[in-house]
Amino acid sequence: MKKGDTKGTVKISANTWHHLEIYYDWEPNALKVLDTFKTNYSFVVFGDPQFHRDGSAGYDYRNERTGLGNFTKLLEEINTLDPEFVIVVGDLTEWTDEIALTKFREWCNMFLDNVPVVSIIGNHGDFESTAITPGYYEWGSGLGMWENIIGPTKGIFYYGNHAFVRGDSHSRQFNDDKDSGTDNYNFVMNALDEISSADMKFLMLHHPLIPYDNPTGEVIQGDTERNAIINKLQSIGADAFLNGNWHVDKYGKTGDVIHLATTEAVGDNPGYRVISISNDEIINFSYVKPDLASSYAPSNPINKINVTFSGNNDGTETN
């Protein structure tokens, strides 16, 4: 399979199908096919763009052109870095509807050149917009639509023998069965066991496991479950835990495990994080603030983008 092909099948290992799920067979830059995996590489993390169906981004839905221009500038900067992949740590859209999700996917496709994007579901992933009026949403009904358009809400993908677990914390609670909290917790624990022999190990959730420097900060609910995940990360020798949700940049550690909260892509604290790997070690995890002085409103209005799509993503393969 080569760049420009629209269909193909890729396996990461003998029994694991490709999990980079935001672009599938209807996107020409769906897959980044490598002859070999690099020992020195970087990937980029951003979060909480909270894209709107009208094309705006961030909290201020009224400022469509500015928000979209700032998000575009962020994507352009990321593209110049030529990362191996991009991880979005949740809240792709403000409300979950097919227009907003598809426009988000298309906008990334326009400004990221052959860069696979892996998305983590956040709490806004279950806010279904039932009307065009901004601010009107219904909790608990958007999950299926997110899965149909973006892909499975949890899974594992590998870059060589570097393992990345994508967890689902959209309900922020792992301590009961509401919104599949128990199932989502069990998945994380089982997945961490599965990747324990990998050379590098990462866990990604939208919500944090630790309160960083804010004792009252919002974290995963369920002290027993949260502590069990923290202990599991340490016991398997995990390298890092990545989250969004807080809309600010934070750093912490539990044992030798690095915890990184990446700020919002658009808003009062815009930014992204570049994580550099060398010989199975994290050598850099810099926070970058985009140069918005050169931000511009794109000349092609986003409402002109074709938002049609076909087929559901089951996260297994393309034919």
Side-chain angles (χ1 to χ4, degrees), residues 37 44 53 76 90 107 137 142 161 171 178 188 193 208 219 224 239 250 276 299 315:
F37 292 102
V44 170
R53 58 163 43 195
E76 288 179 332
W107 208 246
Y137 61 82
N161 199 32
S171 65
K178 182 180 180 182
V188 168
D193 281 333
V219 296
T224 299
D239 294 270
K250 295 292 182 183
S276 300
S299 59

Side-chain angles (χ1 to χ4, degrees), residues 41-299:
Y41 70 95
S42 64
F43 62 93
V44 170
V45 183
F46 73 82
D48 299 271
Q50 297 184 203
F51 216 66
H52 295 249
R53 58 163 43 195
D54 66 359
S56 56
Y59 280 133
D60 190 358
Y61 60 83
R62 296 160 298 181
N63 197 357
E64 173 180 348
R65 304 293 279 176
T66 301
L68 183 57
N70 290 351
F71 184 54
T72 301
K73 185 61 169 62
L74 178 133
L75 293 178
E76 288 179 332
E77 284 192 12
I78 291 172
N79 192 56
T80 64
L81 300 173
D82 192 28
E84 291 301 288
F85 49 88
V86 169
I87 295 172
V88 187
V89 282
D91 287 356
L92 284 60
T93 56
E94 180 74 354
W95 307 287
T96 305
D97 63 70
E98 64 183 21
I99 296 175
L101 284 169
T102 306
K103 284 184 175 180
F104 171 83
R105 187 190 68 212
E106 295 288 340
W107 208 246
C108 289
N109 187 35
M110 289 171 64
F111 292 97
L112 294 175
D113 181 21
N114 197 36
V115 180
V117 178
V118 184
S119 290
I120 313 303
I121 192 167
N123 48 291
H124 285 258
D126 207 15
F127 287 170
E128 182 179 9
S129 178
T130 54
I132 293 178
T133 305
Y136 183 82
Y137 61 82
E138 181 179 351
W139 167 257
S141 54
L143 197 58
M145 189 178 299
W146 200 97
E147 292 177 319
N148 286 341
I149 297 172
I150 302 302
T153 64
K154 46 187 179 284
I156 304 171
F157 76 91
Y158 287 83
Y159 182 88
N161 199 32
H162 297 176
F164 296 78
V165 175
R166 301 165 43 255
D168 179 346
S169 70
H170 77 272
S171 65
R172 199 169 68 89
Q173 49 191 349
F174 280 174
N175 57 340
D176 61 38
D177 292 326
K178 182 180 180 182
D179 296 314
S180 303
T182 301
D183 287 344
N184 290 334
Y185 163 73
N186 288 335
F187 169 80
V188 168
M189 295 296 283
N190 292 333
L192 292 177
D193 281 333
E194 182 178 335
I195 69 168
S196 60
S197 61
D199 292 331
M200 295 194 76
K201 298 169 276 287
F202 297 83
L203 171 62
M204 304 169 292
L205 294 170
H206 179 57
H207 297 91
L209 289 170
I210 62 173
Y212 295 102
D213 57 358
N214 182 0
T216 61
E218 187 175 85
V219 296
I220 295 287
Q221 293 180 354
D223 290 346
T224 299
E225 291 78 8
R226 185 175 65 255
N227 288 330
I229 294 173
I230 291 172
N231 290 336
K232 178 72 72 173
L233 288 169
Q234 294 180 59
S235 69
I236 67 170
D239 294 270
F241 171 78
L242 310 176
N243 71 272
N245 183 246
W246 275 26
H247 293 246
V248 291
D249 186 71
K250 295 292 182 183
Y251 162 81
K253 291 188 77 173
T254 55
D256 293 327
V257 182
I258 297 170
H259 291 246
L260 298 171
T262 298
T263 188
E264 58 195 359
V266 183
D268 294 333
N269 304 291
Y272 55 93
R273 186 182 298 283
V274 181
I275 298 181
S276 300
I277 306 296
S278 178
N279 297 318
D280 300 335
E281 292 186 8
I282 297 173
I283 60 171
N284 185 47
F285 47 87
S286 299
Y287 162 73
V288 180
K289 187 176 178 64
D291 178 14
L292 299 182
S294 58
S295 173
Y296 62 94
S299 59

